[in-house]
């Protein structure tokens, strides 16, 4: 996801468009119907959604020939799609082995969360002056939907959209791209953590979001940075108490992507 795309749609399209887009992404494309660039974007979009949703897990390999057969494409657009995903932190390339979804250990995730604690408040401060009233209305709506939700998958989708929307006003492309990449790198571990902790701790997230939303609406960068940093730090500390999160799933397993 490019910084411009992150600003236009923080992570997801509105809910009413998601179903149609996912169905379209899964229909094999004829090479005659799309340019290589369009095919690459389409393949990348489908694989991105599958990685972020957990259908392709950390450690799993993505074999080019299987993806090409699935989409009715040559390997060229598949290779370009994998390069796009690698730039977003969603895949990595191993010499003589190909692409796979990165697997992180506990220390790596802890360091990435510490990076988020420092970078995301900066992105938020840069974003605040440029958020529109429509953005604020959407944030309020997202928070209501988050609080009404009980499904972990939908919660993660809404939570991600909420936070990335608060950064959409950031005009520093390098900073915004790095924030999105760090979010991508930790998506799997947030999901595993939410499954482990269950709904009993959701009230903490809601309270922290409410404080953050209030500061954003007041355009108070000092409060917003403090609340956001504490929000990320709490998740990092709680994750460190669950080492089992980092040992789930078969490392290096291979299966078709899809």
């Amino acid at each position: 996801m490019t910084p411009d795309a992150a600003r236009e749609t923080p992570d997801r399209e509105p809910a009413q468009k998601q179903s149609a887009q996912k169905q379209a992404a899964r229909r094999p494309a004829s090479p005659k119907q799309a340019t290589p660039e369009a095919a690459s974007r389409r393949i990348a979009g489908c694989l991105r959604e599958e990685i972020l949703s957990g259908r392709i897990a950390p450690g799993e390999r993505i074999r080019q020939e299987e993806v090409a057969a699935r989409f009715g494409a040559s390997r060229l657009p598949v290779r370009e799609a994998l390069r796009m995903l690698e730039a977003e932190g969603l895949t990595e390339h191993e010499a003589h082995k190909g692409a796979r979804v990165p697997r992180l250990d506990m220390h790596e995730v802890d360091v990435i969360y510490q990076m988020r604690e420092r970078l995301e408040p900066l992105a938020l401060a840069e974003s605040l002056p440029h958020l529109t009233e429509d953005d604020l209305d959407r944030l309020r709506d997202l928070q209501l939907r988050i609080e009404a939700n009980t499904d972990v998958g939908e919660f993660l989708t809404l939570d991600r959209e909420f936070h990335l929307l608060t950064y959409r006003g950031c005009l520093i492309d390098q900073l915004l791209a790095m924030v999105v990449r760090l979010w991508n790198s930790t998506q799997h571990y947030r999901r595993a953590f939410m499954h482990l902790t269950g709904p009993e701790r959701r009230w903490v997230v809601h309270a922290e979001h409410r404080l953050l939303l209030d500061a954003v609406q007041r355009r108070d960068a000092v409060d917003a940075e403090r609340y956001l940093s504490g929000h990320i730090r709490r998740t990092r500390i709680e994750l460190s108490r669950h080492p089992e999160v980092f040992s789930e799933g078969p490392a290096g397993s291979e299966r078709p992507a899809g």
Side-chain angles (χ1 to χ4, degrees), residues 17-251:
K17 296 182 181 179
Q18 291 183 31
S19 178
Q21 288 181 333
K22 290 178 182 178
Q23 290 175 6
R26 289 172 188 148
R27 287 195 294 267
S30 168
K32 298 180 181 179
Q33 295 175 334
T35 65
E37 294 80 6
S40 295
R41 289 193 298 270
R42 186 166 174 273
I43 293 168
C46 185
L47 293 177
R48 181 186 299 112
E49 195 276 332
E50 292 178 346
I51 294 168
L52 291 174
S53 68
R55 291 201 297 276
I56 305 178
E60 291 195 25
R61 302 200 181 281
I62 303 175
R63 302 178 63 180
Q64 289 187 25
E65 62 271 21
E66 292 178 353
V67 176
R70 173 184 169 192
F71 285 92
S74 70
R75 291 197 186 187
L76 180 61
V78 175
R79 282 197 296 270
E80 182 58 31
L82 292 174
R83 290 192 192 101
M84 294 164 61
L85 296 176
E86 185 173 7
E88 297 173 16
L90 290 170
T91 65
E92 62 184 7
H93 181 80
E94 290 186 298
H96 311 299
K97 293 184 178 180
R100 72 168 188 171
V101 179
R103 164 171 285 180
L104 305 176
D105 62 30
M106 181 184 290
H107 179 66
E108 289 172 319
V109 171
D110 185 84
V111 171
I112 289 173
Y113 265 89
Q114 290 185 61
M115 293 170 67
R116 289 185 55 200
E117 286 175 44
R118 291 158 175 78
L119 291 176
E120 289 185 39
L122 178 59
L124 181 58
E126 289 290 326
S127 174
L128 281 183
H130 307 291
L131 292 176
T132 67
E133 288 303 315
D134 285 344
D135 293 330
L136 298 180
D137 286 342
R138 189 174 171 193
L139 283 169
R140 286 187 284 265
D141 177 66
L142 282 168
Q143 182 55 30
L144 290 175
R145 292 167 62 193
I146 288 170
E147 292 176 5
N149 181 265
T150 58
D151 176 74
V152 169
E154 183 67 12
F155 169 83
L156 289 168
T157 297
L158 295 171
D159 179 69
R160 181 183 174 97
E161 184 174 354
F162 176 90
H163 283 288
L164 294 186
L165 177 55
T166 67
Y167 309 138
R168 73 174 298 174
C170 177
L171 303 180
I172 311 300
D173 286 349
Q174 296 92 331
L175 177 57
L176 189 58
M178 188 172 294
V179 165
V180 172
R181 182 182 175 92
L182 295 176
W183 264 85
N184 289 343
S185 298
T186 55
Q187 178 83 357
H188 166 78
Y189 305 96
R190 284 194 301 277
R191 180 184 303 104
F193 172 71
M194 293 303 298
H195 278 293
L196 280 171
T197 56
E200 293 78 13
R201 296 285 292 167
R202 292 277 181 87
W203 69 270
V204 181
V205 176
H206 301 333
E208 291 171 343
H209 276 198
R210 284 290 177 179
L211 288 170
L212 177 60
L213 180 57
D214 175 69
V216 169
Q217 291 176 133
R218 291 186 286 107
R219 308 203 188 249
D220 186 329
V222 174
D223 276 357
E225 288 186 68
R226 181 169 65 249
Y227 297 145
L228 178 59
S229 178
H231 181 54
I232 299 169
R233 179 177 180 274
R234 179 191 58 79
T235 303
R236 173 172 64 84
I237 291 172
E238 292 197 12
L239 262 174
S240 70
R241 296 170 180 159
H242 291 276
E244 65 271 26
V245 166
F246 305 93
S247 60
E248 293 184 355

